[in-house]
Amino acid sequence: MNEPICGKFIVLDGPDGSGKSTQHGRLEKRLLSLGIEAVSCRDPGGTDIGNRIRSILLDFDLSEMDVNCETMLFMASRAQLASEVIRPALAVGKTVLCDRYVTSTCAYQGAAGYDPHRVIELAKYALDGLWPDVTIMLDIDPESGFGRIGRGPQHAGKNRKNGQPELFVGSQPDAMEARSIEFHRRVRAIFLELHSYYPTPVITVNAGEHVDAVEARIWEALSGVLA
Ligand code: TYD
């Protein structure tokens, strides 16, 4: 049986290049200044087993992978993260700050053809009902997002060498970044709709603003949860 939950569970999510990592760091510092030491984690990964699954998902060309398989693997990595890291932390009253979660599977695998509503049903079983108190969705259009990270999305299957995506501007795109701009537009569109059917609140923050303004908006959005 799962332990009772006492701490707060906060997720930062959004399309590629939305600035999650920067805001994650800022939020962590801000919480610490209030005496709240947050447990930080990232999805997919965050555990040894999860990191192995992450490597299967992001280090290779996914064009051969069935979308059901892709969805189950993301969920499997998360199930491990939930039981090994998130649940135990929450059970001792710690705040958990997680980079991506089920919302990403809804958006990305949704964009690949897996119904986001079914992702939520699947998560109910895979994660034993472990939902965040709040999800902050940092919104950015794909052109601006990929402009920020300095790599461009591609048409899946093209620009590949030996089954791997070829180098872009100085660094290699992961499997998701290598998908087409249309794919990433669908990802964003699903993210923007999630607030209407996700089981717990999803608050959209415009990530196109100045980094300080985005931080302020996130803090405002969290005020109700952290009070
Ligand atoms: P990652 O390297 O963690 O970087 P970032 O979160 O900064 O983009 O990339 C994870 C990639 O995996 C990202 O493109 C989103 C994708 N993803 C999914 O497709 N489904 C999921 O369920 C999750 C959690 C991530």
Side-chain angles (χ1 to χ4, degrees):
M1 188 157 132
N2 288 317
E3 296 159 76
I5 289 170
C6 314
K8 298 296 181 192
F9 179 16
I10 300 162
V11 169
L12 280 182
D13 213 333
D16 290 67
S18 58
K20 282 182 295 89
S21 310
T22 305
Q23 293 299 337
H24 188 126
R26 286 181 169 225
L27 185 54
E28 216 176 348
K29 273 195 194 151
R30 204 156 178 167
L31 289 169
L32 199 58
S33 73
L34 296 177
I36 303 171
E37 198 177 336
V39 171
S40 281
C41 52
R42 76 168 179 182
D43 178 4
T47 64
D48 285 348
I49 293 167
N51 283 332
R52 291 194 202 180
I53 300 174
R54 177 189 166 87
S55 162
I56 296 172
L57 283 163
L58 297 179
D59 296 347
F60 300 95
D61 177 359
L62 287 191
S63 54
E64 303 278 300
M65 191 183 280
D66 181 83
V67 71
N68 285 300
C69 176
E70 184 181 317
T71 304
M72 302 301 150
L73 284 178
F74 275 108
M75 203 61 85
S77 168
R78 183 172 304 125
Q80 187 66 27
L81 181 67
S83 81
E84 197 178 315
V85 178
I86 304 176
R87 245 180 220 287
L90 295 175
V92 295
K94 290 188 177 162
T95 294
V96 174
L97 200 50
C98 190
D99 197 330
R100 301 194 180 279
Y101 199 60
V102 178
T103 28
S104 268
T105 315
C106 291
Y108 285 83
Q109 281 59 60
Y114 198 100
D115 179 357
H117 293 89
R118 284 180 69 199
V119 171
I120 291 172
E121 286 309 305
L122 183 64
K124 287 181 187 164
Y125 298 101
L127 309 170
D128 280 333
L130 183 62
W131 298 102
D133 289 283
V134 66
T135 301
I136 306 291
M137 201 285 276
L138 296 178
D139 178 48
I140 191 97
D141 65 85
E143 287 82 0
S144 310
F146 284 102
R148 279 179 176 181
I149 59 179
R151 295 183 293 266
Q154 294 293 305
H155 294 281
K158 287 187 187 166
N159 297 302
R160 288 172 189 284
K161 208 179 190 176
N162 304 325
Q164 295 287 343
E166 283 203 78
L167 297 183
F168 283 90
V169 197
S171 60
Q172 206 169 9
D174 66 33
M176 229 40 79
E177 291 168 351
R179 286 180 168 169
S180 70
I181 192 83
E182 290 75 23
F183 172 84
H184 289 281
R185 288 199 185 107
R186 290 197 297 276
V187 168
R188 182 193 188 199
I190 296 171
F191 266 130
L192 284 171
E193 279 301 310
L194 272 172
H195 69 93
S196 64
Y197 58 87
Y198 200 66
T200 52
V202 178
I203 302 175
T204 301
V205 167
N206 178 5
E209 289 184 51
H210 186 274
V211 67
D212 293 335
V214 176
E215 182 185 346
R217 288 285 297 114
I218 292 175
W219 195 244
E220 217 177 281
L222 290 179
S223 59
V225 173
L226 295 168

